[in-house]
Amino acid sequence: MKKIFAVILTVVMMATLFVGCNGSDGSSSKTKKVAIIQQVENGAFNDMREGIIKGLKAKGYISGDKDVDYQCADGDETNLNTITQSVANGDYDAVFTVATPATQSMVNQESDIPVFFCAVSAPVAAGVIKDMDKPDMNATGTSNAIPVEEIFGLAKQMTPKAKNFGLLYSSKTDAAVNTVEQAKNYLESKNIKYTEGAVVEDSEIATTVESLCKKCDAIFIPNDAVMQGAMSTITEIARENKIAVYGSSATMVDSGCLGTKAIDDIGIGEKTADLASKYFEGEKVENIPSIVVPYDYVTVNKDDAKAIGINLDSIDFGKDTVNQVNDAKN
């Protein structure tokens, strides 16, 4: 009887240990509850979110949608603030923010929940951290710092006669303003003329583009959700005037821009998940450096090239991988 009792006791202890390791619902204790916040939905941001989820699933930190609280502000600043306040008061192991506005709003809540930002082009300038190598404010993440010099190098290949660039951006978007400053510095260093087209209200976009087309040989647009939302209008006007438009993301090119040097949006999401995994494994946030993700490939729009009279077959893109796309159907 003693032997039988010992066997039963051992089985019970093993079962208890199994439940303790895996949770009462059979899920792994490694599973985390996370929130993902976006200011707006577009192709690039959605791909970044997909990359974050893909990365977390691959490492076993989430098992499905039930572990992810995804919230989008639909482009409304007040709504975004409401969302980040709610998340800051929630029960999450980590919060992922896509792009600059969502990150700024979440970091400003000064929550104890660590923030892992994805695709903030200038984290220090945006005020979400003070040091890339030693991030503070309980936040770290990935930067898709726009390769300004490389994009203008691409413009020189594709439109070598362009002597005056229009810089089209929303003056209300910090990341866009920072990128335009980099563009101005670069163009000035090369003695290339430029004309600024800063937009305050959406209703100004069409007239601003028309004005730039009359003054400039090509247009450059930084990563800017406002401009992305008006891309069909922008490219329609530019094509009518035979003006090349260079964007700062693959989504912009899908939407009608001529070309850019692009970051893999799903890939940068996965890299953001990699940083979070270091925290989940015991590293402190301040000891996880933020990283700048370099561009992955050249992407060019065949429909736009044809519309403005550029023969892509005649251009030598060097060693870069080139992805040729048509206008997005959606």
Side-chain angles (χ1 to χ4, degrees), residues 12-309:
V12 171
M13 290 176 65
M14 290 180 66
T16 302
L17 180 62
F18 179 80
V19 171
C21 290
N22 289 276
S24 59
D25 61 353
S27 62
S28 170
S29 62
K30 188 178 181 181
T31 300
K32 307 297 180 182
K33 182 181 179 182
V34 303
I36 301 178
I37 303 173
Q38 289 177 213
Q39 179 200 26
V40 67
E41 285 201 335
N42 62 41
F45 292 175
N46 292 346
D47 283 349
M48 291 169 190
R49 182 178 79 246
E50 179 184 337
I52 292 169
I53 293 173
K54 182 179 178 182
L56 293 174
K57 280 185 177 180
K59 293 181 179 295
Y61 291 115
I62 62 173
S63 58
D65 293 343
K66 64 182 177 62
D67 302 316
V68 179
D69 180 10
Y70 165 60
Q71 299 194 49
C72 180
D74 296 322
D76 185 281
E77 188 174 341
T78 301
N79 192 21
L80 178 61
N81 188 58
T82 300
I83 289 171
T84 55
Q85 283 182 343
S86 175
V87 170
N89 294 321
D91 181 23
Y92 301 97
D93 296 295
V95 178
F96 293 84
T97 53
V98 178
T100 301
T103 303
Q104 289 173 318
S105 183
M106 188 64 213
V107 169
N108 287 341
Q109 301 300 332
E110 299 183 353
S111 170
D112 292 334
I113 305 170
V115 178
F116 295 91
F117 55 81
C118 178
V120 174
S121 59
V124 175
V128 298
I129 54 174
K130 294 178 182 176
D131 189 317
M132 292 288 286
D133 294 325
K134 288 289 183 179
D136 50 359
M137 301 176 77
N138 203 25
T140 189
T142 55
S143 168
N144 61 337
I146 308 303
V148 169
E149 184 173 342
E150 287 84 356
I151 293 174
F152 281 106
L154 176 66
K156 186 175 182 179
Q157 288 178 292
M158 301 189 72
T159 49
K161 295 182 180 180
K163 304 299 181 185
N164 188 336
F165 281 86
L167 306 177
L168 179 64
Y169 65 102
S170 168
S171 60
K172 298 187 296 184
T173 306
D174 290 343
V177 172
N178 291 330
T179 302
V180 166
E181 285 302 312
Q182 295 176 48
K184 288 160 61 177
N185 291 337
Y186 173 77
L187 293 171
E188 288 170 3
S189 73
K190 299 296 182 181
N191 295 315
I192 300 173
K193 296 179 181 180
Y194 62 83
T195 302
E196 288 191 64
V199 173
V200 178
E201 302 295 336
D202 293 7
S203 58
E204 302 171 358
I205 293 176
T207 55
T208 302
V209 176
E210 289 170 353
S211 176
L212 289 177
C213 286
K214 293 175 182 177
K215 300 174 182 178
C216 305
D217 308 308
I219 293 174
F220 168 75
I221 307 177
N223 263 355
D224 188 329
V226 174
M227 295 302 151
Q228 175 60 49
M231 197 56 63
S232 59
T233 298
I234 295 168
T235 54
E236 180 180 352
I237 295 170
R239 288 181 184 184
E240 289 174 355
N241 289 274
K242 305 295 183 184
I243 296 294
V245 178
Y246 294 95
S248 298
S249 71
T251 299
M252 286 186 172
V253 177
D254 289 342
S255 300
C257 284
L258 176 59
T260 195
K261 294 201 171 183
I263 289 171
D264 184 321
D265 292 325
I266 292 178
I268 196 172
E270 291 178 304
K271 290 179 175 67
T272 306
D274 288 342
L275 295 181
S277 72
K278 295 180 181 181
Y279 168 74
F280 292 148
E281 290 163 9
E283 192 63 79
K284 293 182 178 180
V285 174
E286 60 264 32
N287 293 330
I288 305 173
S290 299
I291 60 173
V292 176
V293 179
Y295 79 89
D296 294 292
Y297 58 93
V298 171
T299 180
V300 293
N301 188 303
K302 294 188 291 185
D303 292 338
D304 191 60
K306 182 178 180 181
I308 64 177

